[in-house]
Amino acid sequence: MTSRRDLGRRALADLRDVAASGPTAPQLFRQADLALRSVLGYDAVCWHANDPATGLVTSVLTDDLDLNDFQHAVRLELWGDDVATFGKIRRSGARTETLSRATGGRLVDSVRYREQIKPAGFGDELRAAFDSKGGTWGCAAFMRAPDRGPYDAVERGLAEVASRYLGNALRTCYQLDPAQRLEPLPPAVLVLDHRNHLVDADPGAQALLVEFADAASAVFSVPTPFATVAEHARVNAVSATGLPAKSRVRADDGRWFVLHASLLDGRADGRVAIVATPASPAEIMPVYLAAYSLTDREQLIALHAVRGRSTAEIAKSLSLTANTVQDHLKSVFAKTGVRSRRELVALVMTTNTPEIWF
């Protein structure tokens, strides 16, 4: 008889093969579901891609759940002080957590359990963050029927390893095509009401609503990234952080946009305006560099190099020797597939705008 661990190893091998094939995020999520559902023992899953820099959800994919309650899920994640939110999992340094473990077996201590999971007919929930090389590339929530009992340590360990594979695979989705050149687009503007439903949109925004349409569009009348950044603006207003509400989102053609949200009426329960602008290289370059598995030091040196600074200037700025800087640059070139600083700049410039903004 095949053991649970052997089944888990087979599932991870399948997942590793899928990840190596270079799938898109939706393809990756569907194949991961086929590999993991039986060994993790879940009955429903909701997959998300994230803004790699902020962790804000930018897409939703599920064949199991009724998304009419997705708006409440967004609010619980961003507003509430619940246990085992994606943000708390990431801040803990872990990739996974279960609701049963986080509550010490008292699921009813979770607002999310009381208001969403239990009414939907589920018991324990396992959450996983697909992070890699400093980027928050995606996440998922796995729910199981109450009669299956809580997730155990073996299942959580399997999810932890799977999360590493998924994070690495999602990260490679963001690598650049050196042959690709995209024409710049003007900013686009739309307005959402207090429920994050569409009030108005200019022609550019209407095109983006079609471009980013996903399962959440039927709930909010706008795709996931627009709804989540709007809700983030409301949270920021109440918490008085003074932080801007913005999120990066990538179109299927590789073009990146930054969504900037602000309160039109000056209050959290009012309208929100969202301006979608093509992302400048300065805004998106850290994502690209992380996508190529550059270390923190390599990313920093690459940024200096793209800004046109000499080896001596970089060495002085970072208190390194010139030889050390050169060694790091060689590693940067090898990982990104270029041979010189000029090619590195050309690669990074494969984006939405004709000049680097620093």
Side-chain angles (χ1 to χ4, degrees), residues 51 54-57 74-75 77-79 196 224-247 259 261-263 268 272 274:
D51 169 6
T54 65
L56 286 179
V57 167
V74 171
R75 288 176 175 166
E77 177 68 20
L78 294 178
W79 285 90
N196 294 333
T224 299
F226 296 90
T228 53
V229 77
E231 199 65 30
H232 196 229
R234 302 181 195 281
V235 173
N236 284 356
V238 171
S239 58
T241 62
L243 297 174
K246 70 176 184 178
S247 179
L259 308 182
S262 59
L263 304 182
V272 172
I274 298 176

Side-chain angles (χ1 to χ4, degrees), residues 115-134:
E115 296 186 3
Q116 285 202 304
I117 297 175
K118 183 178 181 180
F122 299 110
D124 200 9
E125 177 197 57
L126 185 155
R127 286 193 163 195
F130 309 142
D131 297 354
S132 177
K133 304 297 181 182

Side-chain angles (χ1 to χ4, degrees), residues 49 53 70 110 156 160 169 212 255 297 327 350:
F70 183 57
S110 164
R156 183 168 176 261
E160 186 83 16
F212 293 110
R255 194 187 307 271
R297 177 70 75 181
D327 288 342
T350 305

Side-chain angles (χ1 to χ4, degrees), residues 1-11:
M1 183 176 178
T2 306
S3 69
R4 289 176 66 198
R5 293 188 182 276
D6 286 338
L7 291 173
R9 291 190 188 99
R10 291 181 188 176

Side-chain angles (χ1 to χ4, degrees), residues 32 43 62 70 77 87 111-113 121 125 166 173 182 186 229 237 255 290 306 312 345 351:
D43 299 292
T62 181
F70 183 57
E77 177 68 20
V111 178
R112 186 167 73 255
Y113 175 78
E125 177 197 57
L166 290 164
C173 293
L182 300 171
V229 77
R255 194 187 307 271
V306 170
V345 172
T351 184

